[in-house]
Amino acid sequence: QLDYDQYRYILYKADKALWRDEGLPFQIQAFHRGFMFKDRVVINIVDHGAATRLAYSPELFDYGKNQFPTPLPADLGFAGLRFHYPLRKDDVYDEIAVFLGASYFRAVGLGQVYGLSARGLAVDTGLAKAEEFPIFREFWIEKPAKDASSLTLYALMDSQSVTGAYRFTLRPGMDMTVDVISHLYFRKTVERIGIAPLTSMFYHGENTDRFVDDFRPEVHDSDGLLLGRGTGEWVWRPLNSHRQLRISVFKDQKPQGFGLMKRDRVFDHYQDLDAQYHRRPSAWVEALGDWGPGAVYLLEIPSDAEKYDNIVSYWVPDPPAAEGKEFRYDYRLHFTLDEALSPKGGKAIATRIGASEADGIKRKIVGDFDGPSLRMLSPKAKIGAEVSASTGKIANLVVHKNEENGTWRLSFDLEPVADDKDKNPVELRAMLLSGPDILTETWVYQWNAR
């Protein structure tokens, strides 16, 4: 019966953190059950091959302002757990990862604040029926050595249609990396499974072409989907908050990876001292091994507030998740502030959209590209662009160097189909060229008339 604020009052006592008195490099704290987090999660510690269950006790928690009419049950149990590690100083333990709620988990590296989340698995997400939420029901954490720089834990995932065994290896540092090995066993046929799902928030940004009554110029955890395709092509898809659900599908085979990224890290573009959106990490899924054929899905869900996670992305394999099937997927999650994992060529760094003419029908699309090789080009260099649209007309295409900051700007007009009663979205695609040479990643975008 607790509300959000009442649940936040309940804190694990820091002086009772597991391994605190042993001087180990990692410490563990648990979350209390309550509010949204009602599922019991069993936590086990593995020491020299022997597993011991972590015992719950109300004495482990500070309940703050909460007062209960009767004593809490002695076996009420835990809802999840979090990990601490000295990122900055040997004697200061920073929170680096949290596993709480269904199969959700979050992680941060040095200088980062929590933003987007990862999940163990997505089941029927984005379909016209209720989504199934698998739960990490039990964890086993290997006790680390005194000089350990990584921590290994195992998780049992369970739901009506699927069960799974997971191994996570946490490697804290400037970037936080999480190596994931997942084995999935299907009890029932599932219409759509999402491997390595990421969940983020996009409320509004520089490309939002509708009025948002907000003193902050931009509000989002992530600003784009990055794809490393099996062909070697890199694709950047800016995110947006639409008035209707939008699902984009990017077919691929043997992908390098995908991620919900944060490229814009200028505080002035957010102006939020509390949320610190400029410090929220990107999350990149590096595919390990051959993932075979499938597709990266991107879901953009309508949202009227920043408190809702309305962006979802995951990999959907081509083989159906049928009853009795077994799948294994290995990947490495990177929680990072920089773009070291991105392509080395030019990158799309901004997308802006507005009216091209007074009638408001034509739209002006402006994209900025940056990169070391682009900055070296003279303003007189003959740089062109390849631009296409699924419907409508492209006109007034211009590419020129922005001598104020060294980036290159592509702009063009989009004239939508005048009699498109269904107002279907327009799929746009562009890249910068120097003769036959491709200078940048592929910029793709979905523009909607409604």
Side-chain angles (χ1 to χ4, degrees), residues 161-186:
S161 302
V162 59
T163 192
Y166 284 72
R167 172 177 169 167
F168 300 94
T169 303
L170 311 181
R171 305 183 190 277
M174 290 290 293
D175 289 348
M176 176 69 165
T177 63
V178 183
D179 289 353
V180 183
I181 298 175
S182 62
H183 294 258
L184 304 172
Y185 306 89
F186 288 87

Side-chain angles (χ1 to χ4, degrees), residues 1 19 53 57 69 72 78 84 109 125 127 171 230 244 258 298 302 310 340 383 397 414 446 448:
Q1 302 288 327
W19 304 325
R53 181 171 294 186
S57 169
L72 295 176
F78 304 116
H84 294 77
T125 305
L127 297 178
R171 305 183 190 277
Q244 294 180 333
F258 67 95
L298 173 66
N310 63 321
I383 305 302
L397 194 155
L414 169 65
Q446 188 182 84
N448 299 276

Side-chain angles (χ1 to χ4, degrees), residues 131-310:
E131 179 176 353
E132 185 175 309
F133 287 94
I135 299 168
F136 284 141
R137 294 196 181 277
E138 191 162 0
F139 290 94
W140 292 262
I141 303 125
E142 290 186 357
K143 185 176 182 179
K146 287 197 173 184
D147 60 350
S149 58
S150 64
L151 184 70
T152 299
L153 62 146
Y154 304 84
L156 168 65
M157 190 190 71
D158 198 33
S159 72
Q160 300 96 312
S161 302
V162 59
T163 192
Y166 284 72
R167 172 177 169 167
F168 300 94
T169 303
L170 311 181
R171 305 183 190 277
M174 290 290 293
D175 289 348
M176 176 69 165
T177 63
V178 183
D179 289 353
V180 183
I181 298 175
S182 62
H183 294 258
L184 304 172
Y185 306 89
F186 288 87
R187 299 186 174 103
K188 300 178 181 179
T189 297
V190 173
E191 185 173 349
R192 182 191 296 164
I193 63 165
I195 305 298
L198 302 173
T199 303
S200 190
M201 180 275 294
F202 189 99
Y203 181 33
H204 63 90
E206 61 199 4
N207 57 318
T208 302
D209 57 350
R210 57 184 172 83
F211 175 71
V212 180
D213 194 6
D214 196 326
F215 79 92
R216 299 164 299 179
E218 302 182 48
V219 176
H220 50 73
D221 285 340
S222 309
D223 52 13
L225 170 69
L226 181 66
L227 304 171
R229 310 194 73 168
T231 59
E233 180 189 24
W234 288 84
V235 177
W236 175 254
R237 165 64 153 76
L239 301 176
N240 206 347
S241 179
H242 304 287
R243 293 179 175 86
Q244 294 180 333
L245 171 67
R246 297 296 180 187
I247 300 178
S248 300
V249 180
F250 302 89
K251 297 290 289 183
D252 202 359
Q253 187 161 344
K254 299 181 181 180
Q256 300 178 59
F258 67 95
L260 293 176
M261 313 300 284
K262 182 86 161 186
R263 285 188 170 173
D264 188 346
R265 300 207 169 275
V266 180
F267 168 77
D268 193 47
H269 295 177
Y270 302 95
Q271 291 291 332
D272 197 320
L273 293 171
D274 298 318
Q276 299 187 68
Y277 286 112
H278 61 294
R279 294 177 56 200
R280 303 204 172 190
S282 300
W284 173 254
V285 179
E286 177 188 355
L288 301 178
D290 183 357
W291 280 21
V296 173
Y297 276 58
L298 173 66
L299 279 64
E300 296 170 300
I301 303 166
S303 176
D304 59 2
E306 64 192 282
K307 62 183 179 180
Y308 301 118
D309 283 343
N310 63 321

